[in-house]
Amino acid sequence: MNPSTSLPSRPADLLPSEVPLSLIDPAGRPAPEGELTMPADEVLQRLYRGMVLGRRFDVQATALTKQGRLAVYPSARGQEAGEIGAVLALREQDWLFPTYRDSMAVVARGVDPVEVLCLLRGDWHCGYDPARERVAPQCTPLATNTLHAVGLAHAATVKGEDTVALVLLGDGATSEGDTHEALNFAAVFNTPTVFFVQNNGYAISVPLAKQTHAPSLAHKGIGYGIRSVLVDGNDAAAVYAVVSAAVARAAAGEGPTLIEAVTYRIESHTNADDATRYRDRAEVESWLVKDPVSRLANYLTERGLLDEQAGAALDATAEAQAAQLRARMNVDTVSDPRDLFRHVYAQQTPALRRQEQELLAELAVTEATEEDHR
Ligand SMILES: Cc1ncc(C[n+]2csc(CCOP(=O)(O)OP(=O)(O)O)c2C)c(N)n1
Ligand SMILES: [Mg+2]
């Protein structure tokens, strides 16, 4: 297939706004009229529901690390508007390409939470069927998913399918070569890809100021001729609006969009990190007052779209889901050590075959010893 032959638009058409676009201010009041349209009431209620359930899932997953049921968990607390807003903007036939940070987004897409946490429990690389769910495995090597998303989107175009690929990545991942190759390919081949950068302020302990000198991460799209959008990443309504518009443009053959959502990672990088070693409590507190969940709750309450009873019912559902997740995650998994050697290569290499034989010999000795002790 030939690359797009149309010339890039005027640079000014591609530039992000100077301040992040928003629809609801941190106090929950409607933001001044701008270029975005407020999603329908029913969408706002779904966004709120997704964020409340997502936050409870996130708290539960962190607790599971303390009980030894998860090897590691990168929390998305504080990023609920991005995780839920972006995913709810997808159509059924679209694909999601998440990172290790985005378990909440994958659950919001409808994947069984236990299957999602399989990776972080250390059982399998991916506990769900990516093709069935239209969700790629959560990537740990930074930015590799950008290339996969562009590849899938391009393949869909070649096959004449109406499929958009939404890829989630972090601020740090925008420094990776893979991201730049993906952006360039997406622009040149006009692929239906939406790049959703969650700028949460940090790449582990590296703050944004030490990561880039770009005016914003959204500006990184301009050099490639990609339309770029800067959005308030704690405003679920605004995130939903910009991602929906980008998905619609991509589906209409108008090419990729790069969206930077400005947000904040409230917790440490993972449960294995201690963020107090590299950032002040005051900084965290300055973001707690911009909380995405209470922001939308305030807005909905003011509009008469959320009352105490509905809030309590939703909290009860979130508790019930967390209890169910706890119970299911407390069941020991049975794993076969030989699985280590399966699915590595279609035809096993001699080195792997040797290692497998060694393991089998060791297992035979262990089993014999256990038998003796009975
Ligand atoms: C290619 C690669 N290099 C380095 C790492 C180690 N690493 C894991 S997470 C991380 C920080 C990523 O930060 P960001 O992209 O902002 O995502 P966040 O964790 O904040 O969601 C790094 C450097 C990695 N996983 N992959
Ligand atoms: Mg980050």
Side-chain angles (χ1 to χ4, degrees):
M1 177 165 165
N2 288 328
S4 160
T5 47
S6 63
L7 288 170
S9 320
R10 290 180 308 135
D13 295 338
L14 306 176
L15 274 169
S17 51
E18 274 191 25
V19 291
L21 300 175
S22 76
L23 281 165
I24 301 174
D25 79 9
R29 291 176 300 241
E33 280 288 301
E35 56 186 90
L36 301 180
T37 310
M38 186 68 85
D41 293 349
E42 171 270 330
V43 172
L44 295 173
Q45 286 167 321
R46 276 201 294 129
L47 288 167
Y48 182 65
R49 180 181 173 81
M51 289 201 292
V52 170
L53 299 181
R55 175 163 293 182
R56 188 63 189 86
F57 163 83
D58 192 84
V59 168
Q60 185 56 57
T62 296
L64 287 167
T65 63
K66 295 179 180 150
Q67 294 155 9
R69 288 295 180 185
L70 280 185
V72 68
Y73 182 71
S75 168
R77 189 183 180 93
Q79 299 182 212
E80 291 86 352
E83 296 280 307
I84 307 299
V87 162
L88 292 199
L90 285 180
R91 304 164 307 164
E92 177 142 8
Q93 72 266 38
D94 297 329
W95 268 74
L96 176 68
F97 287 78
T99 76
Y100 52 87
R101 174 89 48 218
D102 308 312
S103 301
M104 191 194 290
V106 181
V107 172
R109 184 74 173 142
V111 182
D112 178 344
V114 172
E115 290 185 9
V116 175
L117 293 176
C118 199
L119 166 77
L120 300 169
R121 181 148 67 171
D123 287 349
W124 282 100
H125 272 308
C126 183
Y128 50 87
D129 178 346
R132 194 187 63 216
E133 307 289 355
R134 295 184 167 257
V135 179
Q138 290 174 265
C139 81
T140 302
L142 301 177
T144 48
N145 58 343
T146 58
L147 292 166
H148 302 158
V150 169
L152 183 129
H154 183 52
T157 309
V158 171
K159 291 195 276 183
E161 292 170 1
D162 175 18
T163 305
V164 172
L166 169 72
V167 55
L168 308 180
L169 61 155
D171 41 289
T174 67
S175 299
E176 290 285 344
D178 282 2
T179 303
H180 295 268
E181 291 167 25
L183 287 169
N184 192 50
F185 191 102
V188 172
F189 284 84
N190 204 41
T191 69
T193 317
V194 179
F195 297 85
F196 187 74
V197 178
Q198 296 200 67
N199 170 8
N200 64 6
Y202 288 87
I204 311 185
S205 57
V206 178
L208 188 70
K210 288 192 181 166
Q211 183 73 241
T212 181
H213 275 194
S216 78
L217 298 175
H219 277 83
K220 294 194 181 196
I222 304 304
Y224 298 105
I226 289 187
R227 187 194 301 268
S228 304
V229 178
L230 183 62
V231 67
D232 182 335
N234 281 19
D235 178 350
V239 168
Y240 179 88
V242 298
V243 177
S244 302
V247 168
R249 274 199 301 272
E254 293 169 27
T257 304
L258 172 66
I259 299 166
E260 174 188 353
V262 183
T263 183
Y264 192 77
R265 196 195 73 208
I266 296 294
E267 299 291 342
S268 293
H269 174 67
T270 68
N271 53 299
D273 171 46
D274 176 7
T276 62
R277 295 182 60 173
Y278 53 84
R279 65 185 193 187
D280 295 340
R281 185 71 209 156
E283 182 185 292
V284 181
E285 272 161 16
S286 75
W287 279 91
L288 285 172
V289 294
K290 299 180 199 166
D291 182 59
V293 183
S294 52
R295 178 186 306 207
L296 189 53
N298 290 342
Y299 177 83
L300 292 174
T301 306
E302 189 59 34
R303 293 260 332 270
L305 297 170
L306 176 70
D307 59 21
E308 239 173 71
Q309 206 184 347
L314 181 53
D315 287 344
T317 304
E319 275 314 312
Q321 289 190 357
Q324 205 186 27
L325 180 61
R326 252 189 334 265
R328 291 179 65 206
M329 291 295 290
N330 271 326
V331 177
D332 286 336
T333 53
V334 181
S335 53
D336 182 348
R338 280 168 297 199
D339 281 344
L340 280 171
F341 298 92
R342 294 182 181 133
H343 318 297
V344 181
Y345 294 105
Q347 286 185 329
Q348 219 174 30
T349 60
L352 272 186
R353 224 179 353 259
R354 254 195 324 274
Q355 289 174 26
E356 186 175 19
Q357 292 309 322
E358 278 175 31
L359 177 76
L360 290 179
E362 272 180 41
L363 287 175
V365 172
T366 317
E367 275 163 24
T369 317
E370 279 171 5
E371 198 58 39
D372 286 350
H373 286 290
R374 267 189 212 133

